[in-house]
């Protein structure tokens, strides 16, 4: 490909990898971060024994980014550059999302435009100002490799659900679940939103203590968000 880039196509064997999108994500995350990145570490060790390999590997992981997209999303390189610049300004940022909007005409598209406007212009903007965006949606988001490689993130992201609440959190809203892990981190998303917010509120003291961007004002906002959903 141009500029020396490579394209890899992964074919999922359902007899070896569990069904559903989350397990497809687990497959390629372990390939990119657990295999290819560690191959580069081994290469660095063989190339030069006089350098601190751990520091080099840490820097490499911090500057490795994974772009998550939906198949029908159209974007420009400038949009990706904005996300990368945001991540480079603060190494504690584990994920950043771009604004998306529907294109086309008709009642369904009008509704989607309204829905995305509420989510991105109001809800996510409020979350960003008060503390931290609750969910970087899988349709257009950038994730930092070192954040995903944390044992408390991938170690929990591969858990198999054992009850209805965990099915909602793990398999019906996998992008929100991943973001919940990162800073611990439409109607279809309603139940998963509540499930993940409740998981945060149940550990609020730990969340506030370990995350400087999560304030008590932000926790109050989450509580009001839950109450608003219950009232509706």
């Amino acid at each position: 490909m141009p500029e020396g880039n490579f394209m890899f196509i992964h074919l999922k064997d359902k007899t070896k990898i569990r069904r559903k999108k989350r397990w497809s994500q687990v497959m390629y995350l372990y390939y990119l971060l657990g295999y290819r990145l560690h191959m580069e570490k081994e290469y660095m060790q063989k190339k030069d024994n006089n350098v601190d390999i751990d520091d080099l590997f840490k820097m490499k992981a911090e500057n490795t980014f994974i772009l998550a997209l939906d198949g029908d999303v159209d974007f420009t390189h400038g949009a990706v550059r904005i996300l990368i610049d945001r991540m480079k300004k603060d190494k504690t940022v584990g994920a950043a999302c771009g604004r998306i909007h529907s294109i086309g005409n008709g009642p369904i598209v009008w509704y989607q435009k309204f829905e995305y406007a509420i989510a991105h212009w109001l809800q996510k903007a409020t979350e960003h100002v008060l503390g931290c965006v609750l969910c970087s949606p899988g349709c257009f988001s950038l994730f930092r490799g070192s954040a995903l490689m944390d044992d408390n993130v991938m170690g929990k992201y591969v858990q198999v659900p054992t009850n209805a609440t965990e099915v909602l959190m793990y398999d019906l809203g996998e992008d929100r679940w991943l973001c919940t892990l990162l800073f611990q981190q439409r109607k279809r998303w309603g139940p998963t939103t509540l499930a993940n917010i409740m998981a945060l509120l149940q550990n609020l003291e730990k969340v506030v203590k370990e995350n400087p961007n999560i304030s008590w004002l932000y926790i109050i906002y989450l509580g009001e968000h839950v109450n608003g959903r219950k009232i509706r």
Side-chain angles (χ1 to χ4, degrees):
M1 292 184 66
E3 304 298 330
N5 292 308
F6 296 92
M7 175 180 288
F8 297 92
I9 299 175
H10 292 172
L11 301 179
K12 181 178 177 181
D13 186 344
K14 293 183 178 179
T15 64
K16 298 180 179 180
I17 305 295
R18 292 178 182 271
R19 297 174 182 268
K20 299 185 178 179
K21 184 167 65 174
R22 178 165 66 102
W23 296 104
S24 298
Q25 294 173 350
V26 168
M27 179 181 72
Y28 69 69
L29 286 175
Y30 269 96
Y31 171 75
L32 293 172
L33 302 177
Y35 176 69
R36 288 192 60 85
L37 205 57
H38 278 277
M39 280 185 60
E40 292 191 26
K41 182 178 181 180
E42 293 178 1
Y43 174 76
M44 288 188 291
Q45 288 175 327
K46 294 177 181 179
K47 185 177 180 180
D48 192 348
N49 294 323
N50 297 321
V51 298
D52 193 327
I53 300 298
D54 290 334
D55 284 346
L56 281 177
F57 182 72
K58 180 181 178 182
M59 183 177 66
K60 181 72 174 179
E62 287 178 348
N63 290 280
T64 296
F65 304 104
I66 294 179
L67 180 65
L69 293 168
D70 278 351
D72 58 351
V73 171
D74 187 15
F75 65 97
T76 65
H77 70 278
V80 179
R81 172 60 62 185
I82 290 174
L83 295 182
I84 293 176
D85 290 343
R86 179 66 186 88
M87 299 283 271
K88 286 190 172 182
K89 286 181 180 179
D90 187 350
K91 292 183 179 180
T92 65
V93 175
C97 63
R99 284 196 181 117
I100 58 174
H101 63 87
S102 299
I103 57 176
N105 291 298
I108 299 298
V109 175
W110 299 339
Y111 173 77
Q112 288 180 327
K113 286 183 177 180
F114 174 78
E115 185 180 35
Y116 288 142
I118 294 295
H120 286 273
W121 290 91
L122 298 180
Q123 184 177 331
K124 293 189 187 303
T126 301
E127 292 171 354
H128 173 77
V129 171
L130 292 180
C132 183
V133 174
L134 271 176
C135 176
S136 288
C139 56
F140 188 68
S141 293
L142 196 69
F143 294 86
R144 190 185 301 275
S146 57
L148 294 174
M149 292 168 68
D150 190 288
D151 289 338
N152 291 322
V153 176
M154 286 307 298
K156 292 182 179 179
Y157 195 59
V158 299
Q159 290 180 347
V160 178
T162 57
N163 54 57
T165 300
E166 290 181 351
V167 170
L168 286 174
M169 293 174 63
Y170 299 175
D171 290 330
L172 296 183
E174 65 285 334
D175 49 2
R176 188 174 293 276
W177 171 234
L178 181 59
C179 290
T180 298
L181 293 176
L182 282 176
F183 67 80
Q184 253 197 100
Q185 214 193 18
R186 327 178 227 182
K187 289 295 184 182
R188 189 178 84 137
W189 298 118
T192 67
T193 301
L194 290 176
N196 280 282
I197 290 177
M198 292 305 298
L200 287 177
L201 294 178
Q202 289 170 1
N203 299 279
L204 59 89
E205 290 188 4
K206 180 181 179 182
V207 171
V208 172
K209 180 179 178 181
E210 295 185 359
N211 297 274
N213 291 325
I214 306 299
S215 64
W216 284 103
L217 179 61
Y218 185 69
I219 295 297
I220 293 173
Y221 163 78
L222 293 183
E224 292 299 321
H225 188 66
V226 171
N227 289 332
R229 294 252 176 178
K230 286 182 178 178
I231 291 174
R232 287 189 294 172

